[in-house]
Amino acid sequence: MIITALLSVLQAAIICGTTWILWKALRHLFVKSLLENIPGPPSKSSIYGNLQQLLALDSWKFHDHLVENYPGIARLRGPLGTDILYVFEPRALHHILVKDQYIYEEGRFFIKTNKLLLGEGLTATLGDQHRKQRKMLNPVFSPRHMRHMIPVCYEVAYLLRQAIESRVRSGATEVDMAIWMSRAALEIVGQAGLGYSFDPLVHEKPDEYAAAVKQLNTANGKAAILRRLLPYLPTIRVADLGRMILKAVPHEGVRDLVKISDTMWRRSTEIYAQRKAALERGDAAAAPRVGDGKDIMSILLKANTEASGEDRLSEAELIGQMSWSTLIMAAVDTTSNALSVILTCLAEHPDIQQKLREEIIDAGADKGLDYDTLMNLPLLEVVCRETLRVYAPVTQVFRETRKDVVLPLAEPIKGVDGSTIHEIFIPKDTTVVAGLLNCNRYKALWGEDAYEWKPERWLSPLPTAVSEAKIPGVYSNLMTFLGGGRACIGFKFSQLEMKVVLSVLLPKFTFESSDRPLFWNASGVRYPSMGKYGGKPSLPMKVGLYKGPAH
C-alpha cells in the first residue's frame, strides 16, 4: 500500500512538472503576446527564433542590422517563438540595469550554469547574497588597492617583453599575440589576484589551470545555445546525477565546459587552501609568497576573517571568486582579447601606433610609472577607451523580468500597427537583452562615424546627444563594463593591466598585421581566430624590434 501510494505521488509529480514545463514553453501559442506591436526582425527558425542569429560566432551582421534598423529597441523571437526584447537605448537601459535592476535580474540560465560549473562566485548569485559578496570585494578592486598592484603588473609585463624579444631578436617575425596576451593576463591575475604564479612566460611550464582557462571562452561559445537547457539539470556540485548527465551530452562544447570546470574548481580549491594556511601562519609567513601577500585573495581572506558573522562569506563563495565567476572572466578573457583588438587597431593605424609609442617613451612609462601618471597618459587613455567602445569584448547581457514591469522610453517609437508607443509593458518571465556593443555605436548618439575607430574623438567634446543621454555605464559614457549593481567590479583592474602591458611593449616592438585571414568570434567574450569562426584563439602579427623614429 505504501509503495503504491508513493508511486502514485511520484507519477502525479512527474505529470504536474511536465505539464508546467510544457505550459511555460508553449503558452505563447495560445496567449497573445503583449510585445507583438514592437517592431523587430522576422524569426529565422520555428525552434530557435532569432537566438542563433544573436549568439552565433559570426553574429556581427545581425547586430549591425539591429542597430541600423530599429530605434533603440526591438522585439526578437526566442526558442519556440517566445519573446525577447532587445534594448540599446540609454534611458531604457538605465531602468533595466540601475533603477529596476532587481526586477530585471540575470537570466536563470546564466546564474544556474555559473553555479553549476564553478560555484557561488559573484556572477552566480542574486539578491542579498550578491550584495554581500560585492560589499566584501569592493575594497580590493578600489583605485587605492590598484596602486599596490602596479609593481606586480610591471614585473609580469617585463617578463612578457623578454619572452617576445627572444623570438624577434634576429629580425621581424610572426608572433601569435593572442597567445601571449592570454598568458600575460593570466599571470597578472595569478600573481595580483591569487598570489600564485601560473606561467613564468620566459620558459614553458605546463599548468592545467592555465590550459583550462585558455579553452574556456571557446568552449563557452560552442555551448551558447545548449547552456539555456542546463538550469533544468541537478546542480553538479552536489549531485552526481548532474555531472553524469552533462558528461553524457553528445556535444563538444558542453563536455569541454564540464572538464574545464572540474580542473578550475580543483585548482582553485588547492590555491585557496594554500592562501588560508599562509594567513593562519601570520603575516611573517606571507612575505615569501608571490605578490608579498598583497594579492586580492589574501586581502579578501583577511577581511573575511575580520567580518561579522552575517557579512562573512562561506568557503564555497570564496573559492567561487577565484574561478571563472569573478577573477578569470573579469580580468583574463576580457583584458587579453581587448589587448588583442588594440594591437590589431594599432597595426592598421601605424601613425597612431607611433604617436602612442612616443608618448609612452617621453613619459618614461617603459621603465615603470606610478598609478596616477600611467592612468592619465592622454593618448594611451583614448586608444583604450575607443577600442572598448567600438569593439566591446562582451556584446550583450541577458536579463529576465521577475514580475510585470513598465519600461519607459526616451523617445516614442512607432508600433507595427502605426501607433505611437511611449512605454512598454513587459510581462513577468520575459527575456530582455541589453545590447552593450550597439549602445556604444548607436549613430543617434555617436554620429555617422560611430562604427569607425577614432581615438581622437575623445580629445574633443563628445556629441551633445551622448552627454544628454545619461548612458548608465560605469565607465566613460560606455556600456562596455555595464552599470548598476552588477557592473564589472574589476574594470579598473582591467584598465590597469592593459595600460601596463601596452606601455612596456610599444617602446620595444613594432606591430604589423598578418596577411592571413582573421576572424573575430562573438563568443561570450570576443576573440580572434585564423581561417574560420570557432577556431582556437590566435592572432599572428609581424613583430619587430623598434629602432627609433624614422628620419
Side-chain angles (χ1 to χ4, degrees):
M1 289 290 291
I2 295 177
I3 294 177
T4 302
L6 288 173
L7 288 174
S8 298
V9 171
L10 180 61
Q11 183 181 38
I14 292 173
I15 292 172
C16 290
T18 304
T19 302
W20 180 83
I21 292 172
L22 288 173
W23 171 247
K24 294 284 284 186
L26 303 176
R27 63 179 175 178
H28 65 279
L29 298 177
F30 308 99
V31 180
K32 180 179 178 181
S33 170
L34 297 173
L35 301 178
E36 67 177 14
N37 199 31
I38 307 301
S43 173
K44 288 294 183 180
S45 166
S46 58
I47 296 176
Y48 297 110
N50 301 110
L51 195 60
Q52 285 183 318
Q53 293 170 282
L54 198 63
L55 297 177
L57 294 175
D58 59 349
S59 63
W60 306 117
K61 288 184 179 179
F62 185 63
H63 289 285
D64 291 348
H65 172 78
L66 292 174
V67 75
E68 291 167 6
N69 292 279
Y70 300 97
I73 198 159
R75 179 202 183 195
L76 308 181
R77 295 289 190 164
L80 301 175
T82 53
D83 282 321
I84 296 176
L85 195 65
Y86 182 88
V87 181
F88 55 96
E89 182 262 290
R91 186 184 180 194
L93 287 175
H94 173 77
H95 279 264
I96 293 167
L97 299 173
V98 183
K99 188 174 186 294
D100 296 322
Q101 60 183 293
Y102 300 117
I103 297 175
Y104 300 91
E105 285 279 21
E106 287 276 11
R108 288 179 177 86
F109 84 91
F110 181 82
I111 295 296
K112 184 65 181 289
T113 52
N114 283 351
K115 187 176 295 186
L116 192 71
L117 292 167
L118 286 164
E120 299 184 51
L122 199 63
T123 60
T125 54
L126 295 170
D128 290 339
Q129 186 182 15
H130 179 84
R131 288 190 287 274
K132 182 177 73 170
Q133 289 188 9
R134 199 171 184 97
K135 178 182 177 182
M136 182 69 71
L137 284 163
N138 273 330
V140 295
F141 283 105
S142 68
R144 180 172 176 268
H145 190 62
M146 293 301 105
R147 288 174 170 80
H148 295 304
M149 295 185 184
I150 271 233
V152 173
C153 293
Y154 270 115
E155 182 178 339
V156 174
Y158 293 147
L159 291 173
L160 172 65
R161 181 177 66 186
Q162 182 181 342
I164 295 175
E165 184 178 7
S166 69
R167 285 156 175 80
V168 303
R169 192 174 288 125
S170 59
T173 189
E174 192 171 85
V175 177
D176 194 330
M177 293 307 298
I179 291 176
W180 286 106
M181 293 302 96
S182 178
R183 289 178 66 173
L186 179 59
E187 183 61 7
I188 289 174
V189 169
Q191 293 198 25
L194 306 179
Y196 183 87
S197 177
F198 293 108
D199 186 346
L201 295 175
V202 291
H203 62 268
E204 299 299 324
K205 175 192 170 188
D207 186 282
E208 60 177 351
Y209 189 103
V213 170
K214 291 169 187 174
Q215 299 168 29
L216 177 59
N217 197 29
T218 304
N220 197 29
K222 290 179 180 178
I225 296 289
L226 289 179
R227 282 184 65 197
R228 269 92 184 145
L229 303 178
L230 294 183
Y232 301 104
L233 301 178
T235 301
I236 194 169
R237 290 294 160 206
V238 298
D240 288 339
L241 176 61
R243 185 187 301 270
M244 291 170 59
I245 293 174
L246 286 177
K247 288 183 176 180
V249 173
H251 187 277
E252 181 185 7
V254 174
R255 289 180 174 178
D256 286 349
L257 279 177
V258 175
K259 183 178 179 181
I260 290 166
S261 76
D262 286 344
T263 298
M264 293 179 68
W265 182 266
R266 184 178 67 255
R267 295 291 289 116
S268 294
T269 302
E270 291 169 358
I271 296 169
Y272 168 79
Q274 294 170 9
R275 297 279 71 78
K276 183 180 177 183
L279 182 64
E280 290 172 348
R281 291 195 303 269
D283 290 339
R289 296 206 313 270
V290 171
D292 292 331
K294 294 179 180 178
D295 60 276
I296 289 172
M297 281 309 301
S298 293
I299 302 296
L300 179 60
L301 283 171
K302 188 174 181 180
N304 196 53
T305 59
E306 296 170 354
S308 62
E310 61 182 17
D311 291 332
R312 192 169 297 162
L313 304 184
S314 67
E315 288 198 347
E317 290 176 290
L318 289 167
I319 295 170
Q321 312 309 329
M322 301 170 64
S323 58
W324 176 14
S325 298
T326 300
L327 289 175
I328 299 305
M329 286 298 286
V332 175
D333 278 341
T334 52
T335 304
S336 63
N337 287 300
L339 280 165
S340 291
V341 179
I342 291 173
L343 291 176
T344 301
C345 291
L346 292 175
E348 293 170 352
H349 299 83
D351 56 329
I352 297 179
Q353 181 181 157
Q354 181 59 25
K355 288 178 182 177
L356 180 55
R357 180 178 291 112
E358 291 172 358
E359 176 185 81
I360 291 168
I361 291 173
D362 290 345
D366 59 316
K367 300 178 181 66
L369 293 175
D370 62 75
Y371 178 86
D372 292 315
T373 304
L374 177 67
M375 299 303 283
N376 287 296
L377 290 177
L379 188 54
L380 180 60
E381 169 61 26
V382 300
V383 163
C384 292
R385 194 182 301 177
E386 180 71 348
T387 306
L388 291 169
R389 183 188 72 83
V390 184
Y391 304 107
V394 178
T395 305
Q396 63 215 348
V397 294
F398 284 74
R399 296 290 187 265
E400 290 175 2
T401 51
R402 296 298 192 251
K403 65 179 182 180
D404 296 347
V405 64
V406 174
L407 180 66
L409 303 177
E411 298 289 341
I413 64 173
K414 182 176 290 188
V416 174
D417 63 2
S419 63
T420 300
I421 300 173
H422 295 271
E423 59 185 21
I424 300 172
F425 177 83
I426 307 176
K428 179 184 176 182
D429 293 331
T430 299
T431 296
V432 177
V433 177
L436 310 183
L437 174 65
N438 278 345
C439 184
N440 285 355
R441 36 180 226 143
Y442 189 17
K443 290 182 179 179
L445 298 177
W446 296 93
E448 288 302 311
D449 63 352
Y451 284 16
E452 299 178 40
W453 188 79
K454 291 184 173 180
E456 64 271 17
R457 79 171 71 241
W458 297 94
L459 299 175
S460 303
L462 293 174
T464 303
V466 172
S467 56
E468 292 181 349
K470 297 181 180 178
I471 297 167
V474 293
Y475 170 66
S476 195
N477 290 302
L478 301 177
M479 290 307 303
T480 305
F481 295 110
L482 280 174
R486 299 193 76 90
C488 176
I489 196 170
F491 80 95
K492 293 184 185 297
F493 186 33
S494 178
Q495 289 177 279
L496 176 62
E497 284 184 84
M498 287 189 288
K499 290 184 176 183
V500 167
V501 169
L502 291 170
S503 71
V504 171
L505 294 188
L506 285 172
K508 189 70 176 180
F509 307 109
T510 59
F511 298 92
E512 298 178 31
S513 300
S514 167
D515 294 330
R516 292 196 276 167
L518 175 66
F519 295 86
W520 287 96
N521 298 269
S523 183
V525 177
R526 175 195 302 259
Y527 76 92
S529 62
M530 303 304 298
K532 64 176 182 178
Y533 286 104
K536 67 177 183 178
S538 181
L539 178 63
M541 300 188 79
K542 185 179 179 182
V543 181
L545 292 173
Y546 177 60
K547 299 178 181 179
H551 296 290

